[in-house]
């Protein structure tokens, strides 16, 4: 009887583990559906290089957006970079609206959250909750079985399409408005601001809304 109970307990444990990882579903054709977020990821995390669009896959944000907009994969269009919001309480750091003194005159920026542990955005959700990533550790060495659903994952920065923090137009002296963008590091699970927004560079991990 004790043996039967032990066997059942182990079986239920395996079911629980499988259920926890079942939110990523391989749809074939290089597409991975996330049932949690109702989005489909492109399994090739450096498709810009694989497809021959870019020699290394490392691109400026504008180039990545233009490339993604023209893609049709498996008969499906609508591929794009993940978006980013300003506030995410799961992040390790919060930056209040304040003066950024990195330029001669400075600018006042809207508040935002950044750092590790950010799961409110789609890329952070993928890194931590789907792939088993750990803050401060490279996804290539610390991950779960879902990691093997993807190919060409770079231990580097991946691009977000969106503004993390807005220049509020308040300048102590002459200056130009420069909004902050963001990218996500698969080397340590961190979400980091980039200034100015349009100078952002990184790799492109694409998604589309819905199932395929």
């Amino acid at each position: 009887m004790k043996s039967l109970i032990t066997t059942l307990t182990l079986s239920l444990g395996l079911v629980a583990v499988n259920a926890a990882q079942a939110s990523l579903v391989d749809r074939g054709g290089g597409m991975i559906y996330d049932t949690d977020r109702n989005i489909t990821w492109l399994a090739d995390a450096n498709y810009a290089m694989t497809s021959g669009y870019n020699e290394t896959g490392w691109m400026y944000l504008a180039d990545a957006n233009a490339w993604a907009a023209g893609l049709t994969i498996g008969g499906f269009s609508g591929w794009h970079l993940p978006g980013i919001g300003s506030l995410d309480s799961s992040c390790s750091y919060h930056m209040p609206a304040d003066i950024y003194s990195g330029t001669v005159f400075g600018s006042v920026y809207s508040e935002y959250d950044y750092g590790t542990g950010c799961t409110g955005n789609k890329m952070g959700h993928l890194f931590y909750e789907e792939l088993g990533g750990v803050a401060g550790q490279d996804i290539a060495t610390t991950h779960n079985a879902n990691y093997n659903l993807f190919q060409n994952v770079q231990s580097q920065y991946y691009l977000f399409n969106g503004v993390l923090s807005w220049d509020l137009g308040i300048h102590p002296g002459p200056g130009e408005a420069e909004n902050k963008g963001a990218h996500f590091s698969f080397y340590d699970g961190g979400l980091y601001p980039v200034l100015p927004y349009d100078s952002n560079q990184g790799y492109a991990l694409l998604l589309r809304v819905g199932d395929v």
Side-chain angles (χ1 to χ4, degrees), residues 39-52:
I39 58 176
T40 298
W41 291 100
L42 193 61
D44 189 336
N46 194 11
Y47 189 65
M49 183 189 73
T50 305
S51 66

Side-chain angles (χ1 to χ4, degrees), residues 79-142:
W79 299 96
H80 58 272
L81 297 170
I84 182 67
S86 298
L87 300 178
D88 181 354
S89 61
S90 62
C91 293
S92 56
Y93 296 105
H94 175 75
M95 178 66 72
D98 204 350
I99 294 178
Y100 172 72
S101 57
T103 62
V104 176
F105 300 110
S107 299
V108 178
Y109 288 93
S110 61
E111 63 178 329
Y112 62 93
D113 295 317
Y114 71 104
T116 57
C118 306
T119 57
N121 67 83
K122 294 180 177 68
M123 199 122 58
H125 172 79
L126 177 67
F127 182 93
Y128 289 106
E129 299 183 358
E130 302 295 358
L131 303 184
V134 175
Q137 298 186 30
D138 189 340
I139 193 67
T141 56
T142 305

Side-chain angles (χ1 to χ4, degrees), residues 18-80:
N18 289 334
Q21 296 184 4
S23 54
L24 288 185
V25 182
D26 188 349
R27 293 302 195 207
M31 292 173 278
I32 310 298
Y33 178 57
D34 184 339
T35 61
D36 286 344
R37 296 298 181 96
N38 188 34
I39 58 176
T40 298
W41 291 100
L42 193 61
D44 189 336
N46 194 11
Y47 189 65
M49 183 189 73
T50 305
S51 66
Y53 178 80
N54 182 279
E55 185 176 355
T56 64
W58 183 268
M59 298 178 286
Y60 280 101
L61 178 61
D63 293 333
N65 279 329
W67 166 67
L71 284 178
T72 298
I73 301 172
F76 296 97
S77 57
W79 299 96
H80 58 272

